[in-house]
Amino acid sequence: AMAAAGLVDGMYDLVGESVTVVGGVARLSDGTLAGSTTAMDACLRHWMATTGCTLEQSIRLTSRNPAATIGLLPGMGEIAPAKMANLTALDAELKVRLVVVRGKIVYQDGIE
């Protein structure tokens, strides 16, 4: 997703191009679609609902596999000693509840 993912309607920058987001749809000034504004947790829920993949399979597809594809392993994409400690905690409905970046909590939603 582009940087405007999850944000309100408005004007955003996409690599130097002006993008207008209306109703979650991002377009360039000529009307061309500019990219997705769908957050990863929504994509994960949709993926699981339409494919029947397990949570374990799906999480691997959204973490370790992309990290490996773009060359970020061995530092990212897995929970293990000496890894970067970038984590996202989801609730039972697969909605984001906690985000940890480099070992620091950067987002927390109702976790006691």
Side-chain angles (χ1 to χ4, degrees):
M2 59 179 290
L7 301 179
V8 299
D9 289 356
M11 298 288 292
Y12 297 93
D13 179 75
L14 177 65
V15 194
E17 292 282 335
S18 181
V19 174
T20 303
V21 176
V22 176
V25 178
R27 294 189 182 274
L28 300 174
S29 60
D30 67 0
T32 304
L33 286 173
S36 174
T37 60
T38 306
M40 189 63 151
D41 60 325
C43 292
L44 175 65
R45 289 189 298 276
H46 178 74
W47 169 261
M48 289 183 63
T50 58
T51 66
C53 284
T54 67
L55 180 59
E56 183 177 350
Q57 292 167 325
S58 300
I59 293 298
R60 181 171 283 273
L61 291 171
T62 61
S63 60
R64 188 186 187 288
N65 291 3
T69 299
I70 62 173
L72 295 178
L73 288 182
M76 297 175 76
E78 299 175 307
I79 300 172
K83 300 294 180 175
M84 182 122 350
N86 292 344
L87 309 167
T88 302
L90 306 174
D91 64 17
E93 284 133 20
L94 303 178
K95 294 188 179 177
V96 175
R97 298 300 301 274
L98 177 76
V99 177
V100 178
V101 176
R102 295 182 184 262
K104 295 186 189 308
I105 296 172
V106 298
Y107 173 80
Q108 188 170 353
D109 180 32
I111 296 177
E112 302 296 322

